[in-house]
């Protein structure tokens, strides 16, 4: 197999390139060359996906059996559309990594692949869906952009040649968002640790390496499809996750479970101040049985936790990203809530 990875230098894109090389595939990576490095053995082409001359130059380097698009998170749909038009004559298939945010019902409703997608055309620009500063409703901007990008890829390659992957939260070695690394650092610190909500609450993070394997499997298949890419419903829990963090770090810390209403009362920001904690009914209710039937295999979350801690301890550093700073509760706020739980 000859594949083109759009991205390839950090987290999922790098995992895709590395896993493909381990399979003995030929890998080309197209990126701007500004952050991260491609795995040894990767053919790298530098260029900007928003610059037509760069795209045309890329197209001349084909053909490929498949394109795997991991770098469109900050691209407008029309940029994905332009790239797809250049690559369609020289690539047999297109695997686009989207997100569950593309669904209108996320995070408030349970989701399947038949759930309604947000409205954005394939040629939408970067301003499509932006909200006024006084808006107090749902922020669908990011999801709209991703839904439009899905339509862009499909409109050019045609549904049978396109696989759309919609992960939820992706964790694992190399994570740049900072969710799991924050929890590992906090549990390593020890002492009394605020644990959010119900320890039996089901959560569905997926390992970056498992997403990479599934993306490559889809690149090799002859029929496309749309797939939610999450851990199976009901298999992993918040209690199991935090216990795995304690086990990995060996700190001897103690989990103190704080109910949802207490955390809300203290205005704890869901999803960020205590990463992975969210009370919306659909946040962790994403049906991924279609992907599992198509070959998705999700390793135990405890393995992801342990491997990420090992990566951190070995000096592993993620590519710098502004989202890292969003995560984590302050010591003062945590102590305030701990005092309330114990009272």
């Amino acid at each position: 197999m000859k594949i083109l990875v759009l991205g390839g230098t950090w987290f999922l894109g790098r995992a895709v390139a590395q896993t493909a090389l381990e399979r003995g595939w030929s890998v080309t990576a197209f990126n701007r060359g500004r952050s991260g490095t491609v795995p040894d053995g990767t053919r790298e082409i530098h260029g900007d996906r928003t610059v037509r001359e760069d795209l045309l130059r890329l197209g001349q380097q084909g053909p490929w059996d498949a394109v795997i698009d991991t770098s469109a998170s900050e691209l407008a749909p029309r940029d994905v559309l332009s790239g797809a038009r250049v690559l369609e004559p020289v690539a047999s298939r297109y695997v686009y990594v989207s997100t569950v945010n593309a669904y209108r019902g996320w995070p408030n409703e349970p989701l399947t692949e038949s759930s309604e997608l947000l409205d954005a055309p394939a040629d939408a620009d970067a301003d499509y869906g932006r909200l006024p500063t006084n808006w107090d409703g749902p922020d669908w901007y990011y999801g709209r952009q991703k839904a439009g990008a899905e339509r862009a890829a499909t409109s050019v390659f045609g549904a049978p040649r396109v696989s759309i992957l919609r992960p939820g939260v992706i964790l694992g070695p190399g994570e740049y968002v900072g969710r799991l690394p924050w929890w590992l650092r906090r549990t390593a610190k020890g002492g009394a640790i605020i644990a959010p909500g119900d320890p039996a609450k089901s959560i569905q993070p997926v390992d970056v390496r498992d997403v990479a394997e599934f993306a490559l499997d889809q690149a090799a298949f002859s029929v496309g499809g749309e797939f939610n890419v999450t851990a199976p419903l009901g298999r992993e829990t918040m209690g199991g996750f935090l216990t795995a963090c304690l086990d990995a770090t060996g700190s001897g810390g103690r989990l103190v479970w704080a109910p949802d209403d207490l955390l809300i009362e203290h205005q704890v920001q869901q999803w960020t101040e205590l990463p992975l904690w969210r009370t919306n009914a659909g946040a962790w209710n994403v049906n991924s049985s279609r992907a599992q039937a198509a070959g998705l295999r999700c390793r135990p979350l405890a393995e992801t936790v342990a491997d990420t801690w090992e990566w951190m301890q070995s000096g592993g550093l993620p590519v710098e990203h502004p989202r890292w700073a969003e995560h984590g509760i302050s010591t003062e706020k945590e102590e305030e809530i701990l005092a309330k739980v114990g009272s």
Side-chain angles (χ1 to χ4, degrees):
M1 285 282 292
K2 294 178 61 178
I3 66 166
L4 169 65
V5 181
L6 300 179
T9 58
W10 44 293
F11 203 38
L12 178 57
R14 198 175 199 281
V16 167
Q18 181 64 54
T19 306
L21 290 167
E22 292 169 359
R23 291 187 179 193
W25 293 9
S26 171
V27 180
T28 300
F30 179 70
N31 54 68
R32 293 177 297 179
R34 297 180 183 176
S35 58
T37 58
V38 297
D40 291 343
T42 303
R43 177 192 182 201
E44 189 171 24
I45 301 172
H46 288 163
D48 190 324
R49 293 180 62 180
T50 65
V51 177
R52 179 149 182 86
E53 291 75 14
D54 290 355
L55 289 174
L56 292 173
R57 177 169 49 84
L58 173 64
Q60 294 169 357
Q61 307 303 310
W64 295 279
D65 296 304
V67 177
I68 302 181
D69 189 349
T70 68
S71 67
S73 61
E74 298 178 1
L75 288 181
R78 69 177 182 183
D79 295 321
V80 176
L81 183 67
S82 297
R85 285 171 172 165
V86 169
L87 294 173
E88 189 275 333
V90 293
S92 299
R93 294 188 46 70
Y94 199 105
V95 179
Y96 179 72
V97 181
S98 184
T99 170
V100 293
N101 294 68
Y103 291 113
R104 182 176 294 276
W106 194 87
N108 298 316
E109 302 171 6
L111 298 174
T112 70
E113 287 84 357
S114 62
S115 299
E116 181 184 2
L117 293 171
L118 288 165
D119 57 329
D123 60 352
D125 63 18
D127 289 326
Y128 188 92
R130 287 197 189 278
L131 301 172
T133 55
N134 61 347
W135 178 259
D136 61 358
D139 186 354
W140 284 331
Y141 171 72
Y142 176 64
R144 279 186 167 129
Q145 290 279 308
K146 296 295 277 187
E150 290 183 15
R151 294 184 179 102
T154 303
S155 68
V156 175
F157 275 77
R161 297 169 61 198
V162 176
S163 292
I164 303 294
L165 277 52
R166 300 188 185 113
V169 171
I170 304 177
L171 303 178
E175 185 200 334
Y176 64 92
V177 176
R179 297 181 177 109
L180 176 50
W182 184 85
W183 275 117
L184 284 166
R185 288 197 175 98
R186 177 59 193 92
T187 52
K189 183 180 175 182
I193 302 163
I194 282 291
D198 180 355
K201 174 81 171 180
S202 175
I203 61 174
Q204 296 179 275
V206 62
D207 191 289
V208 63
R209 296 162 292 185
D210 297 331
V211 181
E213 292 277 9
F214 186 66
L216 293 172
D217 288 345
Q218 286 300 305
F221 291 162
S222 59
V223 178
E226 300 176 16
F227 302 94
N228 296 330
V229 183
T230 67
L233 280 165
R235 194 187 75 177
E236 308 288 355
T237 65
M238 181 63 81
F241 167 68
L242 293 182
T243 298
C245 290
L246 287 173
D247 291 344
T249 59
S251 70
R254 177 173 59 91
L255 300 176
V256 179
W257 291 92
D260 293 335
D261 56 358
L262 179 61
L263 297 175
I264 293 170
E265 177 187 334
H266 281 77
Q267 299 182 341
V268 176
Q269 293 298 312
Q270 299 190 38
W271 217 233
T272 53
E273 281 194 285
L274 292 174
L276 307 186
W277 170 64
R278 197 157 194 166
T279 59
N280 305 71
W284 297 118
N285 197 339
V286 180
N287 188 312
S288 57
S289 58
R290 179 183 292 180
Q292 293 159 39
L296 173 65
R297 297 292 178 265
C298 297
R299 70 195 68 203
L301 184 53
E303 182 179 332
T304 303
V305 170
D307 289 350
T308 303
W309 180 244
E310 182 179 350
W311 166 72
M312 292 168 63
Q313 292 300 102
S314 67
L317 294 172
V319 168
E320 291 187 8
H321 196 279
R323 293 186 67 185
W324 187 278
E326 297 175 356
H327 294 89
I329 192 170
S330 69
T331 300
E332 295 75 18
K333 193 169 185 177
E334 183 182 20
E335 289 177 350
E336 178 185 346
I337 297 171
L338 283 168
K340 200 67 171 288
V341 174
S343 62

